[in-house]
Amino acid sequence: TSTSRPRRRRDSQRNIRATGRVPRRWEPIDALEIDEPEQLLGKCWKFKLKITKAAIKIRAQSCYVSYLFPNESGDLERYTTDVCETATMTPSFEYEMVHTIPCVSQGFLDFVSGKNGMDFDIYAAATYGLPSAKIATTNPVVATAFDQKAVASGPDQELAVLKTALDMAVAELSKATGEEPSKLKQRLMAAQAMDAAVAGSE
């Protein structure tokens, strides 16, 4: 028997793995036990959709999930979860929506049982932060990277420490933004050259 839940869109799941996943759950309300979806024609279809959280591959805030689904009149309507303002890779929504179709039509059956399934879109604003600790040999992280406790002495050693710290910061930015480290370094060097030019003209 079947209660004719909307099919998941397998193609979109493969595509969406590059950015994230939206686990969801359909719960029948006053469900009719049927053998074939066509047995629902002319009957009432009522399910509750639950979206508790999402999993994305970037740290982001202001996240929400949006999807299209037929309303009681049979017209496609866009629904959205509340916005999760927490900066995280696993935003929580605790979203619940009861979808009701008073009289199931063939068009609705085609929508819920189609081979392409449904799309659930994740909207988010990527965010990242630089380390709050000062980039210097007094920084325990930098000191540990050089397996030393003493503060660096001499300009050459200090320059090497700062270079390593810069590489670490670039790697963190690259992980957060998905941009290649080499391109990030180029943009930083270009910004530094522009700052030097502006300072020299004052």
Side-chain angles (χ1 to χ4, degrees):
T1 59
S2 171
T3 52
S4 193
R5 293 178 176 82
R7 290 189 59 177
R8 294 191 176 191
R9 182 167 185 150
R10 285 177 288 182
D11 289 341
S12 71
Q13 284 295 328
R14 283 196 293 270
N15 293 335
I16 209 169
R17 281 188 188 128
T19 53
R21 291 180 63 86
V22 184
R24 60 266 188 193
R25 183 186 185 93
W26 290 94
E27 296 182 352
I29 301 175
D30 300 329
L32 299 174
E33 294 298 328
I34 59 173
D35 295 317
E36 298 293 336
E38 287 72 19
Q39 292 178 271
L40 286 173
L41 287 171
K43 296 182 174 63
C44 179
W45 183 98
K46 194 173 185 179
F47 271 75
K48 178 187 288 185
L49 172 62
K50 290 185 176 182
I51 301 175
T52 57
K53 62 182 179 180
I56 54 181
K57 292 189 176 182
I58 59 172
R59 185 175 176 82
Q61 61 184 10
S62 299
C63 301
Y64 66 93
V65 176
S66 177
Y67 64 97
L68 288 172
F69 198 82
N71 56 27
E72 293 190 10
S73 299
D75 300 321
L76 285 180
E77 183 175 335
R78 182 162 294 280
Y79 298 86
T80 61
T81 66
D82 289 335
V83 177
C84 177
E85 297 290 357
T86 304
T88 179
M89 297 176 70
T90 55
S92 296
F93 305 108
E94 302 302 330
Y95 173 83
E96 294 186 1
M97 175 61 66
V98 175
H99 290 284
T100 303
I101 304 298
C103 185
V104 172
S105 65
Q106 185 60 50
F108 176 74
L109 288 183
D110 293 341
F111 179 86
V112 298
S113 60
K115 64 179 181 179
N116 290 330
M118 290 179 58
D119 282 322
F120 287 80
D121 302 315
I122 307 173
Y123 296 88
T127 182
Y128 60 88
L130 294 175
S132 57
K134 183 179 179 181
I135 300 177
T137 50
T138 54
N139 186 324
V141 176
V142 177
T144 301
F146 280 82
D147 194 22
Q148 63 178 22
K149 295 182 179 180
V151 176
S153 58
D156 292 339
Q157 189 172 3
E158 187 70 22
L159 180 62
V161 172
L162 291 175
K163 183 180 182 301
T164 299
L166 174 62
D167 290 340
M168 292 171 63
V170 168
E172 184 176 347
L173 285 172
S174 176
K175 182 178 179 181
T177 63
E179 189 172 352
E180 293 182 6
S182 59
K183 292 183 178 180
L184 280 170
K185 278 189 176 182
Q186 289 176 1
R187 291 203 293 115
L188 288 172
M189 292 175 64
Q192 185 180 27
M194 184 177 295
D195 289 343
V198 172
S201 63
E202 292 179 352

